[in-house]
Amino acid sequence: MDRLEAMSVFLAAVETGSLSAAGRRLGMPLATVSRKLSDLEAHMRTRLLQRSTRKLTLTDAGADYLAACKRILEDVEEAERAASGEYSAPKGDLVVTAPVLFGRLHVLPATIEFLKIYPDVNVRLVLGDRVLNLRDDHIDLAVRIGALPDSNLVATRVGAIRPVVCASPAYLAQRGVPRRPEDLARHDAICFDGLAAAWTFRADKGDIDVRVNARLVVNSADAAIDASIAGAGITRALSYQIAGARRAGLLEAVLQDFEPDEWPVSLVYATRGRLPVKLRAFIDFIAPRIRDRLADEHAA
């Protein structure tokens, strides 16, 4: 029995909550997962998991063994990183994830420049608006927008973004500029799918929700912005998404005195012993560049 592999299977089963989910994470058939756990329990001469059709439950012995497995597997990973030179020079592979449009506008340009300077580092940039689990999806660094939940992850704040209501100059000239959120009732709105009912604004007595007339509903920020530039109506987007269009005079922001609170932008990564030099180099390189770009957009 490969004891390290058995520990990994046991850890995956506990973290995912089922043998089938553990198999999917590890790329291992369900029957193999079940057999390896049975072999481990036979070797330990004790039951580690209580299995039912609905869930897995740790026994007392399993809870103690789980903590030991985590320490051992992290020590092995640390030793492998040290032996491969990850702590002596920036080299190896990095997996980075970011929201689609933010990643394309801000993370991708900085990553391209980073690769020119560090020829021994390879980056896989995963752009998607679904929040990935750093451990389950083997992510080294995630760019997160919004408040972060309490966790054992480390977060480096690089700036903030804000929701902005905007429209084309031609549309505003024809339909008038809304001065208060309630004025939106007289305007055509372009909304994201699932967020069409109301927009939230900050007022003297707290946040208020204002219903808008959704003449067009789309499922991407790009589509809403393009439609607004074309004069189809007023839309709400994030500040970084429309920064270029505002600089070009294609969109104008309105109701800025009523914008809700800013959303922080953070670089998030796990702490498992020493930080690999490749990851530290990447963070040190892109953090000030994203921070500067967001500061410029904030001042716009």
Side-chain angles (χ1 to χ4, degrees):
M1 180 184 65
D2 185 329
R3 292 170 68 181
L4 288 178
E5 183 184 44
M7 288 180 182
S8 297
V9 171
F10 172 61
L11 181 61
V14 174
E15 290 182 342
T16 60
S18 72
L19 302 189
S20 57
R24 288 192 294 273
R25 178 196 284 189
L26 300 171
M28 189 178 291
L30 174 60
T32 304
V33 171
S34 180
R35 176 176 55 79
K36 289 185 178 295
L37 285 175
S38 296
D39 290 346
L40 180 62
E41 289 179 326
H43 174 77
M44 299 289 294
R45 297 181 182 178
T46 188
R47 184 168 292 278
L48 303 173
L49 291 168
Q50 296 290 351
R51 301 170 179 80
S52 71
T53 56
R54 298 179 65 89
K55 63 178 181 178
L56 299 175
T57 305
L58 281 167
T59 64
D60 290 343
D64 292 338
Y65 189 64
L66 176 67
C69 284
K70 287 181 178 180
R71 290 195 303 271
I72 292 169
L73 292 173
E74 287 175 0
D75 287 345
V76 170
E77 183 178 355
E78 189 89 351
E80 290 176 345
R81 285 180 167 179
S84 66
E86 284 195 17
Y87 296 116
S88 59
K91 65 179 180 179
D93 298 332
L94 280 175
V95 182
V96 179
T97 184
V100 175
L101 192 51
F102 189 93
R104 181 167 61 82
L105 294 177
H106 294 306
V107 182
L108 181 58
T111 299
I112 292 171
E113 293 302 313
F114 173 84
L115 293 174
K116 294 176 182 177
I117 298 173
Y118 295 97
D120 294 327
V121 180
N122 305 313
V123 177
R124 182 163 72 92
L125 183 57
V126 182
L127 300 182
D129 293 327
R130 182 175 68 89
V131 176
L132 300 179
N133 182 285
L134 269 64
R135 175 171 293 212
D136 291 352
D137 296 294
H138 307 289
I139 303 294
D140 294 296
L141 181 74
V143 179
R144 296 276 166 83
I145 297 175
L148 299 173
D150 292 335
S151 70
N152 61 352
L153 302 176
V154 176
T156 299
R157 179 166 170 156
V158 292
I161 61 174
R162 62 192 190 280
V164 178
V165 177
C166 58
S168 70
Y171 174 89
L172 295 174
Q174 179 184 14
R175 300 289 296 273
V177 178
R179 302 300 178 184
R180 299 188 60 80
E182 294 83 357
D183 295 342
L184 291 173
R186 304 194 306 270
H187 286 270
D188 298 336
I190 305 165
C191 300
F192 294 152
D193 191 14
L195 300 174
W199 292 348
T200 300
F201 294 92
R202 186 176 59 208
D204 293 337
K205 297 182 180 180
D207 291 346
I208 58 172
D209 291 330
V210 176
R211 296 191 65 82
V212 295
N213 179 27
R215 294 294 312 283
L216 176 62
V217 179
V218 296
N219 66 348
S220 76
D222 283 343
I225 293 166
D226 288 346
S228 190
I229 290 172
I234 291 180
T235 194
R236 172 172 250 178
L238 297 176
S239 52
Y240 75 88
Q241 296 171 335
I242 60 169
R246 290 182 66 188
R247 283 194 294 266
L250 300 175
L251 290 174
E252 292 182 8
V254 298
L255 301 174
Q256 290 180 284
D257 291 340
F258 302 93
E259 289 174 356
D261 293 339
E262 296 177 333
W263 299 352
V265 179
S266 306
L267 306 181
V268 179
Y269 52 95
T271 54
R272 288 176 293 199
R274 288 182 294 170
L275 203 62
V277 175
K278 61 182 180 181
L279 181 54
R280 171 50 61 197
F282 188 76
I283 293 171
D284 290 345
F285 187 87
I286 72 164
R289 286 161 175 80
I290 293 178
R291 189 175 288 117
D292 289 345
R293 292 172 70 106
L294 290 178
D296 289 343
E297 292 175 358
H298 194 279

